[in-house]
Amino acid sequence: MIEMVIDARRKDLGGFEVGRVLPFHSRRMVGPFIFLDQMGPAEFAPGADAINVRPHPHIGLSTLTYLFEGEIMHRDNLGYTQPIRPGEVNWMTAGKGIVHSERTDPLKKSQGGPMHGMQAWIALPTEDEETAPSFTHLGEDAQPAYENGGLFARLVAGEAYGAKAGTPVSSPLFYLHWELAEGVRTAPPPGRGQGGMSERALFVAKGEIEVGDRVFHEGQMIVLSPEAEPTVRALRPSTVMALGGEPVGERLIWWNFVASSQARMDQAKADWKAGRMSLPTDDALEFIPLPDEPPPAPVVSYP
């Protein structure tokens, strides 16, 4: 029933911790999902730096940012400036190349408060790797949702249970947010044996759940076997992300780049180093250099 269990590795991003789930050394992807971080949970003091990710590039993927608590301001070089709040979806397709930043708004920074959410990267199919970049924002009420008997479910992306989300996905996948009261039972979308997705996983963002006869806690991903049809039971109030989809083929991942060839990866590195990828108009005072470059001279952070 269970192929593997992955424990999130805690990483400090300069005063803010994330739990890195994917990629994992023995499990690089689940369907097209090639990267998964749990942001927080954290509680920022008034005036603390909070989220402060300078402009940086992506290719070959779509990013999906989804929050349980807090707020992040997205800015990109397509001209979009968009706050993301709990239950909303920021879907950014990098394609042949995009540059964006993720910050805490100055007003929110001065107030402090909680931050908890997920960031996923979805590798694009080979034929879409060089598509034009785009950005889509969906409000909290724009995605299919269901609530009954202590179960809340929102379809964040893709298709599941006969419903379809508004996110412009490029390959078959699903991404679900569950809120489970203690004792509630549910089941993930069907696997390959029932005509569903080939690869599926569950990530416990909060609480504790039982899958089969095993117990799993916050920060653990349960990779399900293709034929498994498990029941999930919440042992206490829990937040769970269910995800899966069809593989898109092997991918290279380096820094913020995803590609199906080393030549394309090398070109992206050269383009960023040479300044051929423009910065967001509203956030152009600084940027993140390539990891193998020395840091730039200090500048006043934005704003």
Side-chain angles (χ1 to χ4, degrees), residues 208-231:
E208 190 174 52
I209 63 173
E210 184 180 68
V211 181
D213 59 354
R214 298 176 62 180
V215 175
F216 302 96
H217 56 76
E218 179 179 328
Q220 291 189 304
M221 171 178 273
I222 305 106
V223 181
L224 301 171
S225 63
E227 311 299 329
E229 301 299 333
T231 296

Side-chain angles (χ1 to χ4, degrees), residues 9-76:
R9 288 89 66 203
R10 303 305 296 181
K11 293 183 177 291
D12 189 339
L13 300 185
F16 179 65
E17 274 201 347
V18 300
R20 180 67 42 82
V21 187
L22 293 174
F24 186 58
H25 63 83
S26 56
R27 184 76 192 216
R28 307 292 290 175
M29 302 171 71
V30 173
F33 289 83
I34 193 168
F35 177 98
L36 189 70
D37 262 3
Q38 180 181 15
M39 301 180 289
E43 183 73 31
F44 294 115
D49 275 344
I51 305 294
N52 191 31
V53 181
R54 293 168 290 159
H56 58 281
H58 291 285
I59 65 163
L61 55 82
S62 293
T63 67
L64 194 166
T65 305
Y66 183 80
L67 300 181
F68 309 121
E69 295 182 288
E71 181 178 309
I72 297 174
M73 183 67 74
H74 162 97
R75 295 180 177 89
D76 64 42

Side-chain angles (χ1 to χ4, degrees), residues 14 61 118 120 164-165 185 197 202-203 227 239-240 275 290:
L61 55 82
M118 304 295 300
K164 184 176 182 179
R185 297 175 184 268
M197 300 293 182
L202 307 169
F203 178 74
E227 311 299 329
T239 301
V240 178
L290 288 177

Side-chain angles (χ1 to χ4, degrees), residues 38-230:
Q38 180 181 15
M39 301 180 289
E43 183 73 31
F44 294 115
D49 275 344
I51 305 294
N52 191 31
V53 181
R54 293 168 290 159
H56 58 281
H58 291 285
I59 65 163
L61 55 82
S62 293
T63 67
L64 194 166
T65 305
Y66 183 80
L67 300 181
F68 309 121
E69 295 182 288
E71 181 178 309
I72 297 174
M73 183 67 74
H74 162 97
R75 295 180 177 89
D76 64 42
N77 64 348
L78 300 180
Y80 290 98
T81 297
Q82 176 65 56
I84 177 170
R85 301 181 178 96
E88 301 177 347
V89 173
N90 267 20
W91 179 277
M92 184 183 74
T93 295
K96 63 184 179 181
I98 199 167
V99 179
H100 78 133
S101 64
E102 296 158 297
R103 313 269 197 176
T104 297
D105 180 85
L107 177 60
K108 294 293 182 181
K109 179 178 176 179
S110 68
Q111 296 171 342
M115 174 59 63
H116 190 199
M118 304 295 300
Q119 185 163 85
W121 296 359
I122 296 96
L124 294 171
T126 306
E127 62 271 20
D128 292 324
E129 284 185 292
E130 296 302 315
T131 193
S134 62
F135 176 79
T136 300
H137 177 81
L138 295 175
E140 184 178 4
D141 297 329
Q143 305 127 71
Y146 170 84
E147 188 167 11
N148 186 46
L151 165 66
F152 171 80
R154 176 181 286 124
L155 182 58
V156 178
E159 297 185 51
Y161 309 123
K164 184 176 182 179
T167 42
V169 301
S170 300
S171 63
L173 63 88
F174 67 86
Y175 193 41
L176 285 157
H177 169 203
W178 288 336
E179 290 291 335
L180 307 172
E182 182 176 342
V184 166
R185 297 175 184 268
T186 189
R192 188 171 60 198
Q194 301 294 321
M197 300 293 182
S198 297
E199 300 184 359
R200 297 166 299 154
L202 307 169
F203 178 74
V204 185
K206 184 178 73 175
E208 190 174 52
I209 63 173
E210 184 180 68
V211 181
D213 59 354
R214 298 176 62 180
V215 175
F216 302 96
H217 56 76
E218 179 179 328
Q220 291 189 304
M221 171 178 273
I222 305 106
V223 181
L224 301 171
S225 63
E227 311 299 329
E229 301 299 333

